[in-house]
Amino acid sequence: METTQLWKKLLEKIKPQVSPINFRGWFLQASIGEINDKKIVIYVPTAFFAEQLKTRYFDLIQSATKELINQDLSLEFKVDSSKLVKEAPEDIFELGNFQTTIAKPALNPKYNLENFVVGLTNNVAYAAAQAIVQNPGTAYNPLLLYGGTGVGKTHLMLGIGNALLKKSPRLKIIYSSSETFTNDYVEAIQTRKMADLRARYRRADVLLIDDIQFFSGRDSTQEEFFHTFNELQTKNSQIVLTSDRPPQEIAKIEDRLKSRFVGGLMVDIQPPDFDTRLAILKAKCIEKGEILPEETLKLIASSLDSNIRELEGKLIQIIQALSSKNLPPTIENITPYLNGSTKNLRIDYKKVLSVICEHFDLNLKDLTGPKRQKGLVLPRHLIMYILTEDLNLTVEKIGQILGNRDHTTVMHGRDKIKELIVKDREVQKLLIDIKQKLSTLN
Ligand code: ADP
Ligand code: MG
């Protein structure tokens, strides 16, 4: 038999045994190379393909070959994209009515692995994401990313999806959230289209489910998702999940589902530390074609923490405000936009006191005591400023904290720094350093 003829016959045998999407995704992109009495060489477009075909369909291909030519041949996969069959014969392409239900993957290309800034707080998660792109379905399945809001879980998950799509454009990748899944499920029940729902989700090669914490308390949705999960896992489809907390801590999730969630690799993403925040700000500036001085970015990075979404929002707010007023991005000009934003920092006044003491090499007794020597004045004023502007404490309370000083003294100290910060570079630098120290304490 001629080789192309043989390949066609092979595909006809294989077709009924795999899902349409897998057939189209894996087999129609491969082609036969050579065949002799010992082996059959199959050309595939990428190494990833070779591996997938090997892990998923080795037995299937081998037994189909044996049926056809009644001989045990070894299988060899060779990567050669030029040998790729671009247009498969019509009869093989025909997928019944399933074709109409294929949705283009709705993955926002904005979130990719290239623009994901890697730092100490997310490098493990990033490495896991890369491993999955290398070996989907086999490296870690499921991968569960968890962490607070705005730390980059969705970005990283979509980054995986986009990277896989780039490697294999025909992969069926579904991105959904636990809420969307729940809505789909409820709607499928109401419209009696359960079969469609199952077909849609269970044919995925890659299933990305965001925010699984919202499965909490939804018993019948959990049941449906449990079966979806099992089916996909059995056929080595990659599953990636995100959660705002470790799954063990999500209330009202069935134990058997929980055990699935924790059964692969779980990685947390921590709130970004100062260096990561700074790197993200720099990256966002480059992305937006904006040039801000390093010290300005440092001040922004030290004024906010935990949430990259807010950090980015603040950066945009500052850029827009300054450009509408035609002001250069100096420390003086951006400071007003940062006031109060440190309230997000999980710091209290005690941390502020100890950072200031450490920075100026003072002891707390002197700082809060009656002495008025020169070296104590500026540190006290800085405390007054940070506690009013960033921690929103009342001037009375700050007076108490600083050894029962009068509230007018506190107001004076605060105003003094407000005045200096717009003209004294030393004070600017001091504030940045101190805020940086405060924000790395978390
Ligand atoms: P989460 O899903 O954890 O709530 P997102 O993934 O939606 O957070 O991230 C919030 C915003 O911060 C998005 O705009 C995202 O692009 C950005 N972001 C988060 N982490 C990073 C990172 N490491 N590098 C670049 N941008 C990031
Ligand atoms: Mg998210």
Side-chain angles (χ1 to χ4, degrees):
M1 213 183 307
E2 197 224 328
T3 48
T4 44
Q5 192 61 24
L6 177 76
W7 184 238
K8 199 174 162 208
K9 284 236 149 38
L10 252 176
L11 292 183
E12 278 164 7
K13 281 214 168 302
I14 289 167
K15 193 182 167 194
Q17 303 187 55
V18 298
S19 75
I21 189 70
N22 279 330
F23 182 70
R24 201 158 79 143
W26 299 115
F27 290 95
L28 295 188
Q29 299 207 35
S31 66
I32 206 157
E34 45 190 278
I35 176 166
N36 55 38
D37 53 358
K38 290 206 186 65
K39 68 173 182 188
I40 166 169
V41 177
I42 294 172
Y43 285 125
V44 289
T46 63
F48 167 68
F49 250 82
E51 196 164 307
Q52 286 295 308
L53 278 176
K54 235 185 271 176
T55 47
R56 291 174 175 222
Y57 302 115
F58 193 91
D59 292 346
L60 183 64
I61 301 171
Q62 207 166 38
S63 65
T65 319
K66 180 153 192 207
E67 270 178 45
L68 270 181
I69 50 177
N70 207 11
Q71 218 174 316
D72 269 320
L73 297 180
S74 69
L75 274 183
E76 194 180 304
F77 294 96
K78 272 197 182 154
V79 178
D80 185 346
S81 52
S82 67
K83 295 285 191 309
L84 178 63
V85 182
K86 291 265 167 10
E87 283 300 324
E90 263 315 297
D91 56 332
I92 294 172
F93 235 128
E94 206 265 307
L95 293 170
N97 62 8
F98 175 62
Q99 214 154 20
T100 56
T101 69
I102 298 176
K104 278 221 148 175
L107 296 183
N108 189 339
K110 197 176 112 187
Y111 301 108
N112 52 61
L113 294 185
E114 288 77 27
N115 67 6
F116 187 82
V117 176
V118 185
L120 274 182
T121 52
N122 60 20
N123 57 358
V124 178
Y126 180 77
Q130 279 193 314
I132 280 173
V133 173
Q134 295 307 316
N135 295 302
T138 49
Y140 307 111
N141 209 8
L143 169 67
L144 191 144
L145 303 167
Y146 69 93
T149 27
V151 295
K153 304 181 298 291
T154 301
H155 186 138
L156 197 54
M157 172 190 250
L158 289 173
I160 294 173
N162 279 314
L164 286 171
L165 201 59
K166 204 161 144 195
K167 273 175 85 170
S168 325
R170 284 167 184 256
L171 274 187
K172 183 165 169 58
I173 301 182
I174 294 185
Y175 166 67
S176 186
S177 65
S178 58
E179 280 172 309
T180 307
F181 188 90
T182 303
N183 293 341
D184 287 354
Y185 174 74
V186 171
E187 196 187 306
I189 290 180
Q190 283 167 353
T191 56
R192 298 171 200 274
K193 292 206 167 135
M194 214 49 206
D196 287 0
L197 176 84
R198 291 193 175 135
R200 181 143 53 92
Y201 279 97
R202 297 186 190 182
R203 276 176 184 149
D205 299 306
V206 180
L207 180 64
L208 313 171
I209 301 281
D210 221 349
D211 292 317
I212 56 164
Q213 71 271 10
F214 296 123
F215 275 133
S216 169
R218 302 187 180 273
D219 295 347
S220 47
T221 311
Q222 282 180 33
E223 161 107 28
E224 179 61 28
F225 187 69
F226 177 75
H227 294 298
T228 303
F229 188 105
N230 285 348
E231 195 163 322
L232 291 178
Q233 205 178 36
T234 308
K235 63 186 183 107
N236 282 342
S237 291
Q238 178 67 50
I239 301 167
V240 183
L241 311 165
T242 74
S243 169
D244 70 351
R245 69 202 78 173
Q248 299 91 324
E249 289 172 20
I250 309 175
K252 296 189 194 144
I253 295 265
E254 269 187 78
D255 284 346
R256 59 177 189 168
L257 192 54
K258 241 181 226 184
S259 78
R260 292 297 185 282
F261 289 161
V262 304
L265 178 69
M266 286 196 286
V267 193
D268 66 329
I269 304 185
Q270 292 288 326
D273 60 347
F274 176 80
D275 290 332
T276 310
R277 292 201 294 277
L278 185 60
I280 286 171
L281 286 173
K282 285 181 181 170
K284 301 284 173 192
C285 281
I286 293 172
E287 225 170 68
K288 298 179 202 319
E290 296 286 342
I291 299 167
L292 266 67
E294 171 104 9
E295 54 179 6
T296 315
L297 295 178
K298 275 190 174 167
L299 182 63
I300 303 174
S302 58
S303 302
L304 286 111
D305 86 332
S306 79
N307 193 326
I308 296 170
R309 194 176 291 116
E310 281 177 14
L311 190 67
E312 195 177 354
K314 189 54 98 177
L315 179 71
I316 293 169
Q317 186 203 354
I318 289 172
I319 290 172
Q320 284 174 349
L322 293 188
S323 98
S324 74
K325 292 181 185 161
N326 232 339
L327 291 171
T330 56
I331 298 279
E332 301 85 271
N333 291 338
I334 69 159
T335 300
Y337 299 99
L338 297 170
N339 281 347
S341 50
T342 326
K343 67 176 179 291
N344 293 325
L345 296 176
R346 283 151 310 194
I347 54 173
D348 51 23
Y349 75 85
K350 288 183 185 148
K351 282 187 185 167
V352 177
L353 293 183
S354 75
V355 163
I356 297 262
C357 281
E358 189 199 296
H359 191 89
F360 291 95
D361 200 14
L362 300 168
N363 65 48
L364 192 61
K365 259 210 176 105
D366 288 341
L367 196 69
T368 56
K371 283 186 204 162
R372 286 163 170 268
Q373 72 214 51
K374 200 155 169 275
L376 291 169
V377 175
L378 181 61
R380 277 185 196 139
H381 286 175
L382 284 169
I383 291 172
M384 292 163 181
Y385 176 82
I386 293 172
L387 295 190
T388 45
E389 297 302 301
D390 292 327
L391 270 69
N392 289 336
L393 297 187
T394 62
V395 283
E396 288 79 12
K397 169 87 182 161
I398 299 168
Q400 272 173 21
I401 291 168
L402 286 171
N404 286 325
R405 288 182 149 73
D406 191 71
H407 74 274
T408 53
T409 312
V410 176
M411 285 158 74
H412 168 76
R414 175 200 62 194
D415 292 344
K416 190 79 202 153
I417 299 294
K418 274 190 178 174
E419 193 191 312
L420 289 174
I421 200 168
V422 296
K423 58 184 187 200
D424 186 330
R425 294 191 67 80
E426 278 306 306
V427 172
Q428 289 171 2
K429 205 177 158 311
L430 255 176
L431 257 179
I432 293 176
D433 284 351
I434 288 162
K435 285 196 174 188
Q436 180 172 341
K437 279 192 181 152
L438 279 170
S439 65
T440 46
L441 270 184
N442 292 307

